[in-house]
């Protein structure tokens, strides 16, 4: 098996690249095989057999627990660490104590500090807004701090009481109205975490000639966390990209998060690359996805640009109510694989997939979640849509 490596700041991708994958829970068992078939066809078509992906299954979630007794085996973490680039279906959240979220655990353990969510419109998809074609952005959401740090204590617990006592007696905090029934959380936002996130957003902006990065924050209220994010982002840009700022090749601005949510509906064409913290990024990326047709066509990736580690993923949940019915939309994970191919330098294959998918949407072919709103909609099953997509690619 041939591993992707990183040398002198660049990914080295062999012609036959091994990609670890997690099938996923719920609908993951349906979308992951379709995704692999589509990617295999596109790589074959684009490179004439010169390049190929070897898929290596690793376990996490329900399948891992049933097989090994663990939700996230160390062998899975080792595989993603060793092979650098991987992809995953949706994972269930374990019930009870221990791991809060398998997705968060993967991101934290591998320090995948960028959650990258590109959002664009595909012709043929029906949207709730008048001009979805004006939405074309890439969100860089910080992936390891803010609420993802998971630092909180339940109301009434000994830890909550101890924490409040410290706040009240040592820090002089008098603003907690109902301390006996309050849960508490801590929101860490660091200069280092901010800088590496904003740096990644700027590098992406410059590489794609997109001109502007917008820092989205709530610094008017949270002056030392979100306000710090804003300040450190500007300072990084001025320190590291002074020439680009002077020449106009790069513009840095900022927007308060609630105002951004309004602006992104009214004038989305004003924004290209967004850099923001974890919770804001969650709201922003899903809201933008809704404008172009929904989470079913929203791709995502979790990346550490310094080490090269990246896990691409379906951005939706496990959808147990429709699992096994051959109706789930596979486009989120397929488009995440397009991101993966581009990351690997195999963007020619990814473009074939995107173009073929847009042609199908324009002709009215889609799974039912999209087709039911199309004037000429032709609802298809998960596997059947994948097969038609492959035919269009070929």
């Amino acid at each position: 098996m041939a591993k992707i490596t990183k040398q002198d700041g660049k990914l080295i991708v062999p012609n036959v690249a091994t990609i670890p994958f997690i099938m996923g829970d719920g609908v993951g068992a349906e979308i992951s095989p379709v995704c692999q078939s589509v990617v295999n066809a596109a790589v074959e078509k684009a490179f004439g057999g010169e390049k190929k992906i070897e898929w290596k299954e690793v376990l996490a979630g329900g399948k891992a627990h049933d097989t090994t007794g663990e939700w996230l085996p160390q062998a899975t973490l080792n595989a993603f660490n060793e092979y650098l680039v991987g992809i995953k279906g949706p994972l269930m959240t374990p019930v009870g104590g221990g791991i809060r979220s398998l997705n968060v655990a993967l991101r934290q353990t591998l320090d995948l500090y960028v959650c990258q969510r590109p959002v664009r419109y595909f012709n043929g998809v029906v949207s709730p807004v008048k001009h979805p074609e004006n939405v074309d952005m890439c969100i860089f959401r910080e992936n390891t701090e803010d609420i993802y740090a998971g630092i909180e204590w339940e109301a009434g617990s000994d830890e909550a009481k101890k924490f409040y006592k410290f706040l009240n007696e040592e820090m002089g905090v008098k603003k907690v109205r109902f301390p006996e029934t309050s849960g508490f959380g801590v929101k860490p936002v660091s200069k280092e975490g901010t800088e590496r996130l904003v740096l990644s957003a700027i590098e992406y902006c410059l590489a794609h000639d997109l001109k502007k990065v917008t820092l989205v924050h709530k610094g008017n209220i949270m002056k030392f966390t979100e306000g710090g994010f804003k300040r450190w982002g500007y300072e990084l840009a001025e320190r590291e990209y002074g020439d680009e700022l002077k020449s106009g090749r790069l513009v840095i601005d900022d927007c308060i998060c609630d105002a951004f949510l309004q602006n992104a509906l009214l004038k989305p064409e004003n924004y290209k690359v967004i850099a923001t913290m974890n919770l804001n990024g969650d709201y922003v990326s899903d809201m933008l996805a809704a404008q172009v047709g929904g989470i079913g066509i929203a791709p995502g990736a979790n990346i550490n640009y310094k080490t090269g580690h990246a896990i691409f993923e379906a951005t939706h949940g496990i959808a147990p109510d429709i699992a096994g019915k051959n109706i789930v939309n596979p486009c989120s994970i397929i488009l995440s694989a397009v991101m993966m191919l581009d990351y690997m330098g195999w963007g020619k294959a990814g473009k074939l997939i995107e173009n073929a998918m847009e042609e199908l949407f324009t002709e009215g072919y889609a799974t039912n979640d999209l087709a039911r709103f199309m004037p000429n909609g032709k609802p298809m099953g998960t596997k059947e849509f994948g097969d038609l997509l492959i035919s269009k690619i070929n």
Side-chain angles (χ1 to χ4, degrees):
M1 291 188 172
K3 300 172 186 175
I4 297 172
T5 58
K6 189 166 188 180
Q7 298 175 18
D8 300 322
K10 294 184 178 181
L11 281 187
I12 308 299
V13 182
N15 283 341
V16 180
T18 300
I19 300 294
F21 74 94
I22 295 170
M23 186 76 71
D25 295 313
V27 295
E30 296 164 84
I31 62 173
S32 289
V34 169
C35 173
Q36 290 173 15
S37 296
V38 169
V39 170
N40 289 343
V43 171
E44 172 67 28
K45 180 71 174 179
F47 303 111
E50 181 184 342
K51 299 181 186 297
K52 181 181 177 182
I53 287 177
E54 289 184 345
W55 302 98
K56 174 183 173 64
E57 185 174 9
V58 294
L59 301 180
K63 188 173 183 179
H65 193 260
D66 292 344
T67 304
T68 69
E70 299 179 86
W71 292 103
L72 184 58
Q74 185 62 44
T76 297
L77 293 169
N78 292 345
F80 283 125
N81 189 50
E82 183 178 356
Y83 290 93
L84 287 192
V85 176
I87 192 166
K88 58 176 281 296
L91 293 174
M92 65 190 301
T93 299
V95 177
I99 297 176
R100 287 170 178 256
S101 164
L102 296 172
N103 293 320
V104 174
L106 279 167
R107 296 163 191 169
Q108 292 276 5
T109 303
L110 295 170
D111 198 22
L112 305 175
Y113 57 85
V114 169
C115 178
Q116 186 176 324
R117 294 279 297 272
V119 185
R120 55 151 292 193
Y121 176 68
F122 286 88
N123 287 323
V125 174
V126 176
S127 162
V129 299
K130 289 183 177 180
H131 294 289
E133 68 277 5
N134 291 338
V135 178
D136 189 1
M137 302 183 211
C138 191
I139 300 101
F140 280 72
R141 170 192 180 199
E142 206 291 320
N143 220 11
T144 62
E145 298 188 323
D146 195 5
I147 65 165
Y148 263 17
I151 306 171
E152 61 172 359
W153 298 281
E154 185 177 6
S157 67
D158 290 341
E159 293 84 359
K161 293 174 183 176
K162 184 176 182 180
F163 183 70
Y164 173 70
K165 183 179 180 181
F166 170 76
L167 287 179
N168 182 256
E169 297 180 6
E170 300 294 328
M171 303 298 291
V173 173
K174 308 297 182 184
K175 296 180 180 179
V176 181
R177 292 187 181 275
F178 308 106
E180 295 301 319
T181 57
S182 292
F184 295 95
V186 175
K187 173 191 180 78
V189 177
S190 70
K191 182 178 180 180
E192 293 87 348
T194 296
E195 287 190 344
R196 64 183 188 174
L197 185 278
V198 175
L199 178 76
S200 300
I202 291 174
E203 287 293 317
Y204 180 92
C205 178
L206 294 172
H208 293 82
D209 196 27
L210 295 175
K211 305 295 184 187
K212 187 172 78 168
V213 176
T214 301
L215 307 174
V216 175
H217 61 91
K218 191 65 177 172
N220 58 324
I221 301 298
M222 291 175 278
K223 299 184 184 300
F224 305 123
T225 50
E226 307 223 358
F229 177 89
K230 170 190 170 182
R231 183 176 72 257
W232 296 323
Y234 273 118
E235 289 173 354
L236 170 81
E238 290 164 3
R239 184 177 72 242
E240 301 292 337
Y241 298 94
D243 291 342
E244 289 82 359
L245 290 169
K246 288 177 183 176
S247 70
R249 186 171 171 231
L250 174 67
V251 174
I252 301 290
D253 67 1
D254 72 277
C255 188
I256 294 171
C257 191
D258 45 279
F260 175 81
L261 292 172
Q262 175 179 244
N263 294 345
L265 280 168
L266 298 175
K267 45 186 179 182
E269 64 276 7
N270 287 0
Y271 301 101
K272 292 301 177 186
V273 180
I274 308 303
T276 190
M277 283 151 295
N278 187 269
L279 184 58
N280 296 336
D282 207 2
Y283 300 149
V284 165
S285 55
D286 279 14
M287 183 274 288
L288 290 172
Q291 288 184 237
V292 298
I295 201 76
I297 53 173
N302 304 284
I303 304 172
N304 183 319
Y305 280 101
K306 293 180 179 178
T307 64
H309 289 93
I311 299 178
F312 299 81
E313 64 180 355
T315 59
H316 54 74
I318 66 173
D321 56 321
I322 61 170
K325 296 181 179 180
N326 193 41
I327 61 175
V328 63
N329 187 343
C331 291
S332 176
I333 195 169
I334 292 171
L335 291 171
S336 297
V338 169
M339 292 179 68
M340 181 184 76
L341 291 168
D342 188 59
Y343 184 75
M344 293 165 59
W346 295 10
K348 184 179 177 182
K351 200 64 182 172
L352 286 176
I353 296 172
E354 277 193 310
N355 290 344
M357 187 178 291
E358 189 156 37
E359 285 185 37
L360 291 184
F361 291 157
T362 303
E363 295 166 7
Y365 293 104
T367 47
N368 188 60
D369 59 310
L370 298 180
R372 59 184 169 163
F373 298 115
M374 297 173 173
N376 61 336
K378 305 173 184 69
M380 305 192 72
T382 307
K383 185 180 183 304
E384 289 72 23
F385 179 80
D387 290 342
L388 190 60
L389 186 56
I390 290 170
S391 297
K392 183 70 74 172
I393 289 168
N394 288 327

